[in-house]
């Protein structure tokens, strides 16, 4: 059974930093597109950043220069370093993956096959 488990959310002041982690287990694929997505109250789920097995990355315009996605393949762990956080970054953050795929310059929300349970990030002004 393929699973994604996030951790690292919390509350932080504007301008602060957090690092989210997502541990993947049970997947047999050498190729994947995996990343972070978020949903704020009353808003639609949106893509934040994605990365594939070739380390190709794609970011939402709203987080470019502030967030960095990375992975440790040996540990099967995905990270999202979030710096210069803003109140508008407040949301539930989800790790999600599209297996046996590569990433492109878009967020494949409609085809993502596995989702984590989410971790809450709150940025206080």
């Amino acid at each position: 059974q393929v699973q994604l488990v996030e951790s690292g959310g919390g509350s932080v002041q504007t301008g602060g930093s957090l690092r989210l982690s997502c541990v993947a287990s049970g997947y047999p694929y050498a190729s994947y597109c995996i990343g972070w997505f978020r949903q704020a109250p009353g808003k639609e789920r949106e893509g934040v950043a994605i990365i594939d097995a070739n380390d190709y990355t794609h970011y939402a315009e709203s987080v470019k220069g502030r967030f960095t996605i990375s992975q440790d393949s040996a540990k099967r762990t995905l990270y999202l370093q979030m710096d210069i956080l803003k109140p508008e970054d407040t949301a539930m953050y989800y790790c999600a993956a599209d297996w046996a795929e590569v990433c492109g310059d878009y967020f494949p929300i409609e085809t993502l096959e596995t989702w984590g349970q989410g971790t809450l990030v709150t940025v206080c002004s």
Side-chain angles (χ1 to χ4, degrees):
Q1 182 180 0
V2 180
Q3 283 190 318
L4 299 172
V5 179
E6 306 99 329
S7 62
S11 295
V12 65
Q13 295 289 325
T14 296
S17 298
L18 282 174
R19 189 176 82 155
L20 306 183
S21 299
C22 171
V23 177
S25 62
Y27 69 92
Y29 312 101
S31 298
Y32 52 82
C33 179
I34 191 169
W36 295 96
F37 300 79
R38 67 186 181 186
Q39 188 167 21
K43 295 188 176 181
E44 292 188 354
R45 193 168 293 188
E46 64 178 1
V48 177
I50 52 177
I51 189 169
D52 66 16
N54 299 313
D55 283 331
Y56 178 87
T57 58
H58 174 64
Y59 291 89
E61 286 297 324
S62 60
V63 306
K64 279 184 179 179
R66 300 189 299 121
F67 291 11
T68 303
I69 190 170
S70 63
Q71 60 185 335
D72 184 330
S73 298
K75 295 182 179 179
R76 296 198 167 189
T77 302
L78 178 73
Y79 302 102
L80 185 68
Q81 178 66 40
M82 305 187 293
D83 299 316
I84 318 175
L85 281 160
K86 304 176 181 180
E88 50 264 44
D89 295 317
T90 295
M92 186 70 80
Y93 283 71
Y94 299 90
C95 176
D98 197 5
W99 305 112
E101 296 290 342
V102 296
C103 291
D105 290 334
Y106 64 97
F107 293 106
I109 291 180
E110 301 301 322
T111 60
L112 292 166
E113 299 168 71
T114 305
W115 289 81
Q117 82 288 350
T119 186
L120 182 62
V121 172
T122 303
V123 185
C124 305
S125 57

